[in-house]
Each structure stands twice: as C-alpha cells, then as structure tokens.
Amino acid sequence: MTPIARKRLGKVLLNAAGLLVFLFATFPVYWMVSTGFKENDQIFTTEFIPFPTHFTFEHFERVLTEGVANNSIWLYMRNSAIVALGTVLIGSAFALLSATAIARFRFRGRGAFLITLLIVQMLPSEGLLIPLYMMVKRVGLGDQLLGLIVTQVALTLPFGVWMLRTFVAAVPKSLEEAAWIDGASRMTTFWKVLFPLVAPGLVATSIFSFITAWNDLVFALYLMSGSEGYTMPVALQFFFGQEGVDWGAIMAGSTLMTIPVVVFFLLVQRRMVQGLTAGAVKG
C-alpha cells in the first residue's frame, strides 16, 4: 500500500470513528425526543421502533396542561431556572475572584488551599448531603431556593476555581503591568485586560455550573420539603408510580427540560468565541 493510500485509509477510519462516537452520544437524545412523540402502544412494546409511525402531542399536552403534583410544570421550570442562573452568577463571581487571587498572589497556605479544593471536588456529592443540609438549616435557608442556590455554589465552586485559575495564570502579567503604567487602576485593569482574556474559561465554568444545578435531583429533593419548591428533575419523579411508569410523560418532560440548556449554551457560546478571539494588544 502506498503512503498516499495509507493516509487516505487513516482519514477514512478516523472519520468513521468520529461518526460512531457522534451516533453513540446523540442516540439517547434522539430516543428521548422521539419517544415523547410516540403513542403508548409504540412505547410499551418489545419491538424496536426507531421512528414514531404516528406522531402525537398527547404526552406534551398532558405535561403542560395537567402539571405535576397539583402544580403547573412552569412552576418547576421557574424554580430550576432561578437555581441554575443564581448558581451561575454567584458561583462564577466567586470563582473568578478566587482564581485571580490564587494565580496572582503568593500567600501562606496557598498550596494547601488548592489541594483542599481538589479533595472536595473528588468527594461524591451524596457524601456532602447531610453536612450541607445541616448548614443550610442552621442559617435559616431551609425550604428556600436561596438555600438550594448556596448549596449548588458550594458544589460547583471548586471546579470553577481550578479551571479559571489556569486561564488567569495563562494571561501574561506584563499586560496588567503595562496597563498600570498607562495609569489604569487595578479595577480597570481587571475589567479591561484580564476579564476579556479569561472569558472563555468563565463561559465554560458557567456551562458546567448551569448544567449541574439544572440537573440536580438529590439536593433539590431533600432540601425542599414542599412540592412548590421542587425543581424539574424532582417533578419528573412523580411519573414513577406504583401502578407503572409513564414513559411518554417522562420523555416529554425531559425534552422540555433540555430546551433551556440548549438555549443557554447557544447564548453563551457566542461570548465564548468572542473571548477566544479578543486581542490584548492595542492596534
């Protein structure tokens, strides 16, 4: 086989492997969406039905109109949005400030602090349920969305600090020093020089925090005692009953739950590209 033929064969195999990975990653999403449009006789069958033969909006209509646990589905969507956006805003602010302090300043205990963050990130979230539950109750934030936001910030903050620390450390300190020489204050340097360059990391951290808070089930279930404070993942659990599982409603609700995540990513990915292409030298 000639070198050119081997090169072409390698490209074909690489593209085939990429296609298989793509199909493996997107098939569950496709199956979720398609099942939401299938009739019950097509869902509860042993046959493999890749496409719904008769599209129906029955499951979506039932989820949107009847609601869950005597509450509208929009209430749970609103609670999830409040918790997710609150986690992104508060967590990203604390993560950026902490990462800047760690990357730019040398202080006693800096290494131990970083190791502690790493250890906390490695712990299973279920192991932190009881202590976080007790802390939230102690400060009077039990059964409140603010308490759930604080909990999610505590869970996502270590990852955010670690990721943003790398982005901040990659920015040459000479750029900030040049801004200081031009008369810029530390705050102006932070917003005009450092912030645009670490924007890609901030966007990536925001996406991780948003998805983590949006999909959380355990903490939203145990920190909220009333159904009015439940989020979407908890609301979907009500379709698992003693008489059976309403897979059509679950898939329809899961599809509706996925839409805000996709919209959030589409909104921030443009900022991510702008941050990647932002220049640091004046023309």
Side-chain angles (χ1 to χ4, degrees), residues 41-62:
D41 58 346
Q42 296 179 344
I43 297 176
F44 299 96
T45 179
T46 57
E47 299 180 5
F48 178 74
I49 304 177
F51 306 99
T53 56
H54 298 87
F55 281 86
T56 177
F57 293 92
E58 175 187 356
H59 307 300
F60 289 92
E61 183 179 358
R62 187 166 72 255

Side-chain angles (χ1 to χ4, degrees), residues 93 95-105 164-180 184-203 274-276 278-281:
L96 180 58
L97 295 177
S98 301
T100 303
I102 294 174
R104 285 292 185 258
F105 301 101
L164 289 177
R165 168 182 167 271
T166 304
F167 279 84
V168 175
V171 177
K173 197 174 181 179
S174 58
L175 295 177
E176 300 179 58
E177 294 173 349
W180 296 340
S185 63
R186 287 187 176 271
M187 186 61 66
T188 302
T189 303
F190 177 82
W191 286 111
K192 298 296 184 180
V193 178
L194 184 63
F195 183 79
L197 296 178
V198 300
L202 192 62
V203 170
Q274 291 178 354
L276 287 170
V281 181

